[in-house]
Amino acid sequence: MKKIINDPNQVVQDMVDGLIAANPDSLKQVPNTFVVARADAPVAGKVALVSGGGSGHEPAHAGYIGKGMLDAAVCGEVFTSPTPDQVLEGIKAVDSGNGVLLVIKNYTGDVLNFEMAAELAEAEGIQVEKVIVNDDVAVEDSSFTTGRRGIAGTVFVHKIAGAKADSGAKLEAVKAVANKVVTNVRSMGIALTPCTVPAAGKPSFTLEDHEMEIGMGIHGEPGIDRTSIASADEIATTLTEKVLEDFDFSGEVAVLVNGLGATPEMELYIMNKKLHEILSERGIKIYRTYVGEYMTSLEMAGCSVSLLKLDDELKELLDAESTAPAFRS
Amino acid sequence: MKKIINDPNQVVQDMVDGLIAANPDSLKQVPNTFVVARADAPVAGKVALVSGGGSGHEPAHAGYIGKGMLDAAVCGEVFTSPTPDQVLEGIKAVDSGNGVLLVIKNYTGDVLNFEMAAELAEAEGIQVEKVIVNDDVAVEDSSFTTGRRGIAGTVFVHKIAGAKADSGAKLEAVKAVANKVVTNVRSMGIALTPCTVPAAGKPSFTLEDHEMEIGMGIHGEPGIDRTSIASADEIATTLTEKVLEDFDFSGEVAVLVNGLGATPEMELYIMNKKLHEILSERGIKIYRTYVGEYMTSLEMAGCSVSLLKLDDELKELLDAESTAPAFRS
C-alpha cells in the first residue's frame, strides 16, 4: 500500500484537521465530530444543506461547503456511512430555524443513517427534508445499494439546491429543485485500477493489466462488463450512449467529466473531446462543461460521465455564486 | 499502460481539443498550433503573460489562463519543451503592444526554446521579457536541468505576475514582481510511483513496493534519496525542513500542498495538517493555503510542498481576482 498517511485508522481525523487548517476562515469542525461546516453556520434566514457519506471521495463532500452550496458535510470513515449521531450533529450545527435538506447518495447505509438522523432531529424540533441521488445508470442494484447508486451527479444537486437555498427559498422549494436535478441527471463510469482502503491495506479487487471494468461503482462495486481497455473514444461512446438511452436529454445539458482519483486531467479532456462530438451529432446543446476530480474513489484510475438536462431555472442556479473550494463559480 | 487515450502520439492534440470544447467562451486555440489563449486575447492595454512547457503537468499551464493570470499557454508534447515557433505563435497571439512576459520553468529545453522565441518576437518588434522559475530545492542540477528545477511554485508566479499585469502595470513592473516571487518561493517533492509517457508506453523508472524517492522531479528526474515509505508526518517534516533551510521564511507565507497526479486529496490534507504544525511551531504565520493538483506528473503518486514568503504587495496580488479554471480566487 503506497499512501501518504500516518495511522491507517486515523486518516479521516487527520484529513479533517488538515482541511480546517487550510480553510480557517471559511470552515469549522463541529467539536468531537467529523462534521465540517461553514464557519458562519448557522446562516440566519437560510435553509441549510447537509450532505456527506463515507470518506475517500474527496473533494466530495467537504470541498463543496461554502456560500451557495453545502452548509455542512458529515465525513464517515473511508467508504463507510457516518453514524446517525454524527449526521444529527451536522444538522444541529447548521439549522437556523429554517429547516435542513439532506442530500444523500443512494447507498443503503447512508440512506438508513441519514434517515435515522432526520427522525432524531425532528424529535428535537428541527424541520428536515431529504433527497436521494441515484444517478448511476450502470446497474439497478449493487453490493452497497438497493436501486441505482449515487455518484458524481450528486455535485449538481449540491450546486443547484445550494444556490436555491442561498436565494432565500423555503425548504419545500429547495427540496423541489433538488429533486428536479435528481430527475434530470444521469451518470456512468469505468475503472482501470482498484483502490485501497487504508485500514484494509490491500485492494478490494483486482483488474488485469489489460482490463477495465465498465459501470464500476465508486467503492469498487461490480459494474456490468469487464473488457480489454478500449480507446478514449470508445469509452466515451459507451458511457454516453448508456446515459443517453436512459433519459431524454434533447435540449440543453451540463456535462461533468469526472476523474476517479489517479486519472490525469489530460485523459479527462481527451474524453471530453469525444463527448462533445457525440452530443453535437445528436443535436444536444452543451451549456457548461466541468472537467476534473469532483467525486473520487481514493486513487482509483478511471472516470465517469454525467449529463444534467437544464432549463432556465437550473441554468441560473448552476451559474449562481459559489465560494466552495472545489466548485468556484 | 492503463490510460484513457486514443493514439498515444496524438494525446496533446486531443487534450487541447477537449480543453477548448470545455471552455469555448474563455479559451481559444491559436490555429495550427498547440497554443491555448484567452478567447479575448490580445487584451488591450495590458502586458501579456505566456507560459507553457511539456504537457503532462495539467492543470499547468493551460488551466491558469484567464483574467488575472496567463494570457496563453504553449503546450509541448508530453514532458517535451514546445518548439520556438510554437512559443512565438503564443507571443504573437496575445501581445497587445504592451509587451509579453514569458514565465519559464527552469528546464534546459524550455529555457532555450522560449529564449529563441523571444528573440524571434523581438525581431518582429514585440517587447519580450522573461523570468525563470527554479523553486525546487532538492537538487542543484538534474537530468533535464542546469541549476534548480522549476516545479509547483511556478503557479504562484502565474498568479501574482498575472494580477500585476491585470492592474495595468508596465512590463518592467510585472517582470519585477515575478522575480520577487521567484526569489521568495521554494518547493520540494517526493514520489511514490513512476508515471508513463503515452508514446513511451512504459514507466521511465521503477520504485519498489516499499519505496519512495525524495526530491524526485516532475518528469521523474532523480532526487536525493530513495527510502522506505515514511509516514505523512515524516514526509511533511523532511520536505518542510529542507525548504526552510534554504530560505528565511520568517514572517508570513502562502502554502501549496500539491498532488502529483494519483495521490488522493485526503493524503494532501493529511500532509497539510503536519505542515501547519511545523510552521506554527516555528512562528511562521500562514496567510493562505492551497491544497490540490496544481502541477502534476501524469499519474505519478506523490506530492510537493511549496512555501512563498509574502509581503503586503504579494498578498494583495495573490488575492486579486482570477477567472482561470484551475485557480479561482
Side-chain angles (χ1 to χ4, degrees), chain B:
Chain B
M1 177 172 63
K2 296 200 125 177
K3 290 185 182 290
I4 305 173
I5 59 174
N6 297 304
D7 180 344
N9 295 304
Q10 299 276 330
V11 292
V12 177
Q13 183 171 323
D14 286 355
M15 172 184 71
V16 170
D17 288 347
L19 179 67
I20 302 292
N23 300 280
D25 299 331
S26 57
L27 299 181
K28 66 182 175 189
Q29 182 175 6
V30 177
N32 306 314
T33 72
F34 294 149
V35 177
V36 181
R38 276 176 69 158
D40 58 354
V43 182
K46 195 183 84 68
V47 169
L49 259 70
V50 174
S51 191
S55 293
H57 306 298
E58 292 69 30
H61 296 273
Y64 301 118
I65 298 172
K67 178 173 157 53
M69 287 188 84
L70 300 181
D71 294 82
V74 188
C75 306
E77 292 300 327
V78 177
F79 293 178
T80 303
S81 176
T83 56
D85 62 302
Q86 293 267 317
V87 180
L88 177 63
E89 292 300 323
I91 293 170
K92 288 162 69 174
V94 298
D95 178 50
S96 65
N98 294 272
V100 176
L101 180 69
L102 304 180
V103 181
I104 310 167
K105 298 194 301 304
N106 191 35
Y107 297 97
T108 304
D110 284 339
V111 173
L112 282 172
N113 290 347
F114 277 75
E115 284 184 345
M116 197 175 300
E119 286 174 24
L120 295 169
E122 282 163 352
E124 298 193 26
I126 300 174
Q127 200 186 351
V128 182
E129 293 285 351
K130 65 175 196 291
V131 292
I132 296 175
V133 190
N134 59 350
D135 54 317
D136 187 348
V137 303
V139 294
E140 280 306 316
D141 296 295
S142 185
S143 44
F144 283 52
T145 326
T146 303
R148 289 181 170 185
R149 302 173 299 219
I151 56 172
T154 308
V155 177
F156 286 132
V157 182
H158 296 345
K159 177 66 189 73
I160 286 170
K164 188 76 177 178
D166 204 46
S167 77
K170 301 280 183 202
L171 181 56
E172 277 305 319
V174 177
K175 180 184 176 182
V177 82
N179 272 325
K180 192 202 262 190
V181 176
V182 173
T183 301
N184 284 12
V185 68
R186 298 290 186 282
S187 304
M188 189 161 144
I190 60 114
L192 300 183
T193 69
C195 61
T196 298
V197 173
K202 59 181 186 182
S204 56
F205 65 97
T206 55
L207 278 165
E208 300 297 324
D209 278 352
H210 69 285
E211 280 183 330
M212 67 176 191
E213 180 142 341
I214 301 169
M216 175 158 282
I218 57 173
H219 311 91
E221 309 96 306
I224 52 176
D225 201 8
R226 200 171 269 211
T227 68
S228 289
I229 298 175
S231 71
D233 284 357
E234 289 164 337
I235 292 170
T237 302
T238 299
L239 296 181
T240 311
E241 286 188 349
K242 194 94 163 66
V243 163
L244 290 173
E245 275 167 22
D246 200 79
F247 186 72
D248 178 7
F249 282 98
S250 55
E252 218 165 345
V253 298
V255 170
L256 170 56
V257 184
N258 172 60
L260 291 180
T263 293
E265 198 173 288
M266 167 182 280
E267 299 176 26
L268 302 180
Y269 280 113
I270 293 173
M271 282 282 295
N272 185 54
K273 177 191 179 185
K274 183 64 180 177
L275 194 53
H276 274 240
E277 288 168 4
I278 294 167
L279 295 176
S280 172
E281 281 161 15
R282 300 205 179 208
I284 296 170
K285 190 175 170 197
I286 298 170
Y287 179 70
R288 286 276 176 274
T289 304
Y290 303 89
V291 178
E293 293 185 348
Y294 288 84
M295 177 77 71
T296 64
S297 303
L298 296 168
E299 72 283 2
M300 190 182 283
C303 67
S304 66
V305 166
S306 301
L307 296 185
L308 170 65
K309 183 170 179 169
L310 297 170
D311 60 15
D312 288 344
E313 179 189 28
L314 297 184
K315 284 197 266 186
E316 187 182 331
L317 294 168
L318 188 61
D319 288 345
E321 184 191 5
S322 158
T323 66
F327 201 113
R328 293 285 169 92
S329 55

Side-chain angles (χ1 to χ4, degrees), chain A:
Chain A
M1 178 172 65
K2 296 200 125 176
K3 289 185 182 291
I4 305 172
I5 59 174
N6 297 303
D7 180 344
N9 295 304
Q10 299 276 329
V11 291
V12 177
Q13 184 170 322
D14 286 356
M15 171 184 71
V16 170
D17 288 348
L19 179 66
I20 302 292
N23 300 280
D25 299 331
S26 57
L27 299 180
K28 66 182 176 189
Q29 183 175 6
V30 178
N32 306 313
T33 72
F34 294 148
V35 177
V36 181
R38 274 176 70 158
D40 57 354
V43 181
K46 194 183 84 69
V47 169
L49 260 70
V50 174
S51 191
S55 293
H57 305 299
E58 292 70 28
H61 295 276
Y64 301 118
I65 298 172
K67 178 173 158 53
M69 286 190 84
L70 301 181
D71 294 82
V74 188
C75 306
E77 292 299 328
V78 176
F79 292 179
T80 303
S81 175
T83 56
D85 61 302
Q86 293 267 317
V87 180
L88 177 63
E89 292 300 322
I91 294 171
K92 289 163 69 174
V94 298
D95 178 50
S96 65
N98 295 271
V100 176
L101 180 69
L102 304 180
V103 180
I104 310 167
K105 298 195 301 302
N106 190 35
Y107 297 98
T108 304
D110 285 339
V111 173
L112 283 172
N113 290 348
F114 276 75
E115 284 184 346
M116 196 174 300
E119 286 174 23
L120 294 169
E122 283 163 352
E124 297 192 27
I126 300 174
Q127 200 186 350
V128 182
E129 293 285 353
K130 64 175 197 291
V131 292
I132 296 175
V133 189
N134 59 351
D135 54 317
D136 188 349
V137 304
V139 295
E140 280 305 319
D141 296 297
S142 184
S143 45
F144 283 52
T145 326
T146 304
R148 289 180 171 186
R149 302 172 298 218
I151 58 172
T154 308
V155 177
F156 285 132
V157 182
H158 296 344
K159 177 65 190 73
I160 286 171
K164 188 77 176 175
D166 204 46
S167 77
K170 301 281 184 202
L171 181 56
E172 276 306 319
V174 177
K175 180 185 176 182
V177 83
N179 273 324
K180 191 202 261 189
V181 176
V182 173
T183 301
N184 284 13
V185 68
R186 298 290 186 282
S187 304
M188 189 160 143
I190 58 114
L192 300 183
T193 69
C195 60
T196 298
V197 173
K202 59 180 186 184
S204 56
F205 65 96
T206 54
L207 278 166
E208 299 298 324
D209 277 353
H210 69 286
E211 280 184 330
M212 66 176 192
E213 180 142 342
I214 301 169
M216 174 158 284
I218 57 173
H219 311 92
E221 308 96 306
I224 51 176
D225 201 8
R226 199 171 271 211
T227 68
S228 288
I229 298 175
S231 71
D233 284 358
E234 289 164 338
I235 292 170
T237 302
T238 299
L239 296 181
T240 311
E241 286 189 347
K242 194 96 163 65
V243 163
L244 290 173
E245 275 167 22
D246 199 78
F247 186 73
D248 178 7
F249 282 98
S250 55
E252 219 165 346
V253 298
V255 170
L256 170 57
V257 183
N258 172 60
L260 291 180
T263 293
E265 200 174 287
M266 168 181 281
E267 300 177 25
L268 302 179
Y269 280 113
I270 293 173
M271 282 282 295
N272 183 55
K273 177 191 179 184
K274 183 64 180 177
L275 194 53
H276 274 240
E277 289 168 4
I278 295 167
L279 295 176
S280 172
E281 281 161 15
R282 299 204 178 209
I284 297 170
K285 190 175 170 198
I286 298 170
Y287 179 70
R288 286 276 176 275
T289 304
Y290 304 89
V291 178
E293 294 185 347
Y294 288 85
M295 178 76 72
T296 63
S297 303
L298 296 169
E299 72 283 1
M300 190 182 282
C303 67
S304 66
V305 166
S306 301
L307 296 184
L308 170 66
K309 184 170 178 169
L310 295 170
D311 60 16
D312 287 345
E313 180 189 28
L314 296 185
K315 284 197 268 187
E316 187 182 332
L317 294 168
L318 188 61
D319 288 345
E321 184 191 5
S322 158
T323 66
F327 201 113
R328 292 285 170 92
S329 55

